[in-house]
Amino acid sequence: MKFDKSVFSELVQFLEKSEIDNPMAPFIKPQEVNEKLDIALNEEGISSQQLVEILKNIVVSTPKTSSNRFFNQLFGGRNSEAVLGDLLATVLNNSMYTYKVAGPQVIIEKEVINQTLKLAGYSTSGSGTIAPGGSMCNMMACIMARDLKHNKVRAEGVLHKMTIYTSQESHYSITKNAAFIGVGMNNVRKIETNSMGEMLPEALEKQIEKDLKNGFVPFFINVTAGTTVLGAFDPIVPTVAIAQKFDLWVHVDGAYFGGVLWSRKYKYLLNGIETTNSFSVNAHKMLGTPLSCSILVTQHKNQLFESFSSEASYLYQTDDEEFNPGKISMQCGRRNDALKIWTIWKSRGHLGMEKLVDHLFYLAKTAYDYVINHQDYQVYSNQPSLSVCFNYKNISAEKICTQLYEDSTLMVGYGSFREDVFIRLILVNGNNSQQDILNFFQVLEAQTYENLAIEK
Ligand SMILES: *Cc1c(COP(=O)(O)O)cnc(C)c1O
């Protein structure tokens, strides 16, 4: 390698120190980045020492998603075991389509999938894959459901007016995917939710009946386990009962909160999951791996193969189908995202993973108790959830979040549910302590906000 290991560890040490010294990157307007950092690509190259210096400046200015000031997204924090797995995957640089090219990495992925099948209560003769993101897992589930409904779709295209059901609070990927897979965005039915943001089974059933009467072909229900804003759980048991009545596929989008399966204390939130058709979880959200690590499992091993296999004699030249996972993936070359969840899971065991999940709920409870017990706050979310949603002193959430960001004090975002807009504090960094959460509120309260009242 052109860079020896010391250069690499120098950069990593620099990053770690920079995170402690400046947990928030300085705010730079996007239009000003090129003035402050040397990013332009030029005719001539530069020395490795120059490159390292430039990279250091870039590191300082890049948002620190692992710091205890970052609560902005559904991921955060850094766990060394998982990072080690991810770095090794990069250095090894296998592609996860054949056993010939990836060797034991294929067996590692299979172990992760088998253990996830077990946790979901699916038969271990089910199957699964690791896809490049939760949106893609949702798409793969939807494609399997579509093809199971009409097995000629793959060859002939979508010939029926097929319909998809998901709650109003579900992730936007469901709608995007409907466009991608030929079903059409207008054929996504956004089902009403109750005041907690959970899909209403009665409204779902009514909509399906109406569509059937009008000649549509319902085929897919998406159940969200942890909605993106409030972290609500759609009820699985009544949804599956409806699905069985009309012969529809039920997918559980556990991108955000699927990690509850790793905890004996919280897995009840997914009661009934063993009766669903597919389930996906983003290990890079609750389970502490770097982006991205998205696991999809299904009870329908044959359907996964039917929907995603294709012949390629230049690729598949050895071994049983069973060990060539390229036959059940969306893409051809596929990054090894299995190793990072395997390394953290292997090193901590089931019990350590459970501890991580339980700790996140403890942090969330800490934040929830804080806002519910302080009169300057108005609360919009419920427990248990890793999203704690609130407003502070009747000041506009958008303005608070923007000011905290531009002043380089905190990274936190806002969300909305029905008419309310509020700050959405996300507790997914397992390295945070109770004190880190209380510090969040201290910093938020220490800021002076002027002329920021909510405009009514
Ligand atoms: C994050 C999220 C997704 C999308 O996952 P990506 O990995 O970002 O594609 C889907 N559904 C829910 C509920 C999510 O929270």
Side-chain angles (χ1 to χ4, degrees), residues 62-301:
T62 299
K64 305 295 186 303
T65 65
S66 297
S67 90
N68 60 0
R69 298 294 183 97
F70 183 83
F71 301 92
N72 203 76
Q73 235 68 47
L74 310 186
F75 66 91
R78 180 188 305 121
N79 295 296
S80 52
E81 311 98 307
V83 170
L84 178 69
D86 207 19
L87 291 178
L88 260 184
T90 297
V91 177
L92 283 166
N93 199 32
N94 304 100
S95 180
M96 300 295 280
Y97 35 45
T98 62
Y99 182 80
K100 186 179 180 186
V101 170
Q105 302 298 328
V106 169
I107 311 301
I108 284 172
E109 183 175 70
K110 276 184 165 299
E111 176 64 9
V112 168
I113 286 161
N114 282 335
Q115 292 289 345
T116 309
L117 282 165
K118 226 193 236 176
L119 287 173
Y122 290 174
S123 153
T124 42
S125 65
S127 183
T129 186
I130 298 190
S135 304
M136 210 64 84
C137 289
N138 290 344
M139 172 142 77
M140 292 183 77
C142 205
I143 289 171
M144 284 190 280
R146 183 198 67 183
D147 298 350
L148 183 63
K149 197 67 167 180
H150 283 302
N151 61 11
K152 292 207 175 111
V153 167
R154 267 196 106 189
E156 298 176 6
V158 179
L159 301 173
H160 299 81
K161 296 194 291 179
M162 303 185 89
T163 44
I164 290 172
Y165 301 82
T166 193
S167 92
Q168 285 171 347
E169 296 303 309
S170 64
H171 191 256
Y172 66 78
S173 59
I174 305 295
T175 311
K176 268 172 76 171
N177 290 340
F180 295 156
I181 71 168
V183 163
M185 295 198 281
N186 294 346
N187 296 321
V188 177
R189 306 290 187 246
K190 301 264 182 71
I191 307 299
E192 219 183 297
T193 62
N194 64 16
S195 61
M196 317 239 290
E198 304 162 348
M199 185 160 66
L200 285 169
E202 313 81 62
L204 169 68
E205 182 159 16
K206 249 195 218 145
Q207 184 64 50
I208 294 172
E209 281 169 346
K210 186 173 157 201
D211 287 331
L212 282 168
K213 219 184 272 166
N214 292 329
F216 289 97
V217 181
F219 73 102
F220 182 80
I221 305 173
N222 176 65
V223 165
T224 309
T227 55
T228 309
V229 174
L230 291 177
F233 286 81
D234 293 337
I236 295 179
V237 174
T239 304
V240 168
I242 293 165
Q244 287 174 347
K245 192 161 148 193
F246 300 105
D247 194 23
L248 312 190
W249 183 291
V250 177
H251 171 66
V252 179
D253 174 8
Y256 187 10
F257 281 0
V260 297
L261 278 188
W262 275 254
S263 161
R264 283 167 295 182
K265 187 166 172 198
Y266 291 102
K267 70 186 300 180
Y268 77 91
L269 292 164
L270 288 179
N271 259 347
I273 185 170
E274 69 284 354
T275 61
T276 60
N277 303 88
S278 56
F279 162 70
S280 54
V281 53
N282 276 351
H284 61 261
K285 286 181 176 168
M286 273 182 79
L287 299 177
T289 74
L291 283 155
S292 64
C293 183
S294 301
I295 308 168
L296 171 72
V297 289
T298 174
Q299 315 244 29
H300 305 266
K301 183 172 186 165

Side-chain angles (χ1 to χ4, degrees), residues 429-449:
N429 179 354
N431 295 326
N432 278 338
S433 64
Q434 184 175 44
Q435 193 51 49
D436 289 313
I437 306 310
L438 299 175
N439 283 347
F440 167 88
F441 291 107
Q442 256 181 21
V443 173
L444 180 135
E445 290 164 15
Q447 187 92 24
T448 37
Y449 305 98

